[in-house]
Amino acid sequence: MPSSDRGRPLDLGELIDFALARNPATRQAWKSAQAAAAAAGKARAPYYPVVSGESDNGYQRLIDLVPKHWGTLKTWQSRSLISIDYDLIDFGRRDAQAASALDQLVAANLLFNRQVQEVVFETERGFYELDEARANVTAAEAAAKLATTDRNNAERRQHNGLATQPAVLLARQREAQAEFDLENARLAVSLAQADLAIALAVRADQAPEVAPLGDQPLPKSIGAGVEQLIDDAVRARPDLAAKVSEVRSRQAEVALARASFYPTIALTSFYGEDAFNYHLSNPPTSTFTAMAPEYGAGLSVKWDIFTGFSRLNSLRQAESERDAAGAELESAELDVAANVWRAYFTYRTARRKYDYAVALLAASQSSYNSNVKSYGHGLATIIDLLSAERELAAARYTIIQSKAEFLIAAAAVTFATGAIPPEATPTASP
């Protein structure tokens, strides 16, 4: 993070930027995509000729032991060649290899996109769960405060002779239970912070400060029906599209296996110069120097007529792997449809539950206020008051939980369909 932003609470959009920049899962997926890009470039190498150079240079001194005619033969020689080899016809081998590598590249890019979506969703979920835990602490503090107030009222009524000792003990019991619940709520905040730190790929003690959710508006209706959402997911899910590319890659492997049954026709050519000099010392001769060109060209045909059924079995293997990839694609489509179905109806239920929780909180607050007044006038027992207090505390926890479930369910629908939520839009650089 920039030094100016350190120590400043981050909102959800900034947390998503932070997670995408640091999470090793996205970095791993990106490096895999880069490796696939390099493999795709490598697969196109056979489309170009192979140009090589060779140069042999040396000196040698030989003794010529011929009777009455001996001497030393000294020779220096330089031989340089440049050769060009090119496959003229390979019956589709290069095309199949390039197509397979390109489809693998497309799949790697799509899987990277899906990994980005996973990081976004995990960050959203961790943020909402942390906000829920913090809100639960606030609710637990309010419940503890109410319990203390009720206990004070009970003790005051006992002092005035209007309440019994069991009623006071019951109020103290409720106060102790509220304090216990408050400690559990505080522990939940620490646990939620640890879970969010995992999504952000930082140590729990080094996680950035998180801004509260505040009055963020709840998600609006998703608009489309479940059938439309499933159709959108089948078209938009990057991981599903990656499996489609995997099937295409397997089909290219089948084409490559079939091409291996045919020969290859290649052009081979070279050109060079051979330069040398020599002389004989006994009897002395003049030094002879010469330079002559060397060149040649030809066509080569290579055809493996019988390979021990290796090519046939390779073709069968490629076809089986292609069919297996197709079956995996069909299974993945069914899983996507099921995921969207679950997410859709979970969202609908969460929305209704939140509406019910709002009504429940309003009713519980009215009930508690009424019982407080009735208890003050001696028209209600301490049991009635504490029961209303418990119901009010439960209603507060319920609306907090239902709100978090609603937000997470909306994010889950977006994740299940493969869309990008507005919160994941990168912030503009200044």
Side-chain angles (χ1 to χ4, degrees), residues 95-105 245 248-250 252-253:
D95 294 340
Q97 289 176 338
S100 176
L102 181 60
D103 287 325
Q104 291 291 341
L105 170 60
S245 294
R248 292 172 179 170
S249 175
R250 295 299 182 184
E253 293 292 337

Side-chain angles (χ1 to χ4, degrees), residues 373-421:
K373 292 180 181 179
S374 297
Y375 182 71
H377 292 89
L379 301 177
T381 65
I382 188 64
I383 296 177
D384 296 331
L385 178 61
L386 296 181
S387 177
E389 178 198 316
R390 283 194 301 270
E391 294 299 329
L392 176 58
R396 285 174 174 167
Y397 290 135
T398 299
I399 194 169
I400 292 170
Q401 181 181 7
S402 62
K403 181 179 180 180
E405 290 178 354
F406 187 19
L407 292 170
I408 293 174
V413 171
T414 302
F415 179 66
T417 56
I420 297 295

Side-chain angles (χ1 to χ4, degrees), residues 240-427:
L240 201 58
K243 292 187 180 298
V244 174
S245 294
E246 183 67 24
V247 173
R248 292 172 179 170
S249 175
R250 295 299 182 184
Q251 180 60 41
E253 293 292 337
V254 172
L256 177 61
R258 286 174 178 166
S260 65
F261 285 89
Y262 300 96
T264 58
I265 301 176
L267 169 66
T268 302
S269 62
F270 69 90
Y271 179 84
E273 294 284 343
D274 190 354
F276 59 92
N277 64 49
Y278 69 91
H279 73 276
L280 186 65
S281 60
N282 187 17
T285 64
S286 302
T287 299
F288 296 93
T289 301
M291 178 179 293
E294 295 181 344
Y295 50 87
L299 292 176
S300 64
V301 179
K302 182 179 180 181
W303 195 352
D304 295 330
I305 299 176
F306 180 71
T307 60
F309 304 105
S310 173
R311 293 174 299 186
L312 178 61
N313 288 315
S314 296
L315 176 59
R316 290 173 177 173
Q317 179 184 359
E319 290 175 339
S320 298
E321 291 177 348
R322 176 202 58 193
D323 295 340
E328 185 178 358
L329 173 61
E330 293 179 6
S331 177
E333 289 178 347
L334 295 176
D335 289 340
V336 167
N339 291 339
V340 175
W341 182 277
R342 295 189 191 100
Y344 175 78
F345 285 102
T346 299
Y347 168 83
R348 288 185 57 184
T349 301
R351 182 167 186 166
R352 289 195 296 266
K353 286 171 63 177
Y354 178 76
D355 294 336
Y356 298 149
V358 172
L360 176 62
L361 178 60
S364 299
Q365 184 67 57
S366 298
S367 176
Y368 176 76
N369 294 339
S370 177
N371 276 277
V372 168
K373 292 180 181 179
S374 297
Y375 182 71
H377 292 89
L379 301 177
T381 65
I382 188 64
I383 296 177
D384 296 331
L385 178 61
L386 296 181
S387 177
E389 178 198 316
R390 283 194 301 270
E391 294 299 329
L392 176 58
R396 285 174 174 167
Y397 290 135
T398 299
I399 194 169
I400 292 170
Q401 181 181 7
S402 62
K403 181 179 180 180
E405 290 178 354
F406 187 19
L407 292 170
I408 293 174
V413 171
T414 302
F415 179 66
T417 56
I420 297 295
E423 295 83 356
T425 303
T427 56

Side-chain angles (χ1 to χ4, degrees), residues 111 189 243:
L111 290 176
V189 171
K243 292 187 180 298

Side-chain angles (χ1 to χ4, degrees), residues 58-62 73-77 276-279:
Y59 170 82
Q60 61 181 359
R61 181 177 182 274
L62 301 176
L73 179 64
K74 301 178 180 179
T75 304
W76 177 86
Q77 185 175 13
F276 59 92
N277 64 49
Y278 69 91
H279 73 276

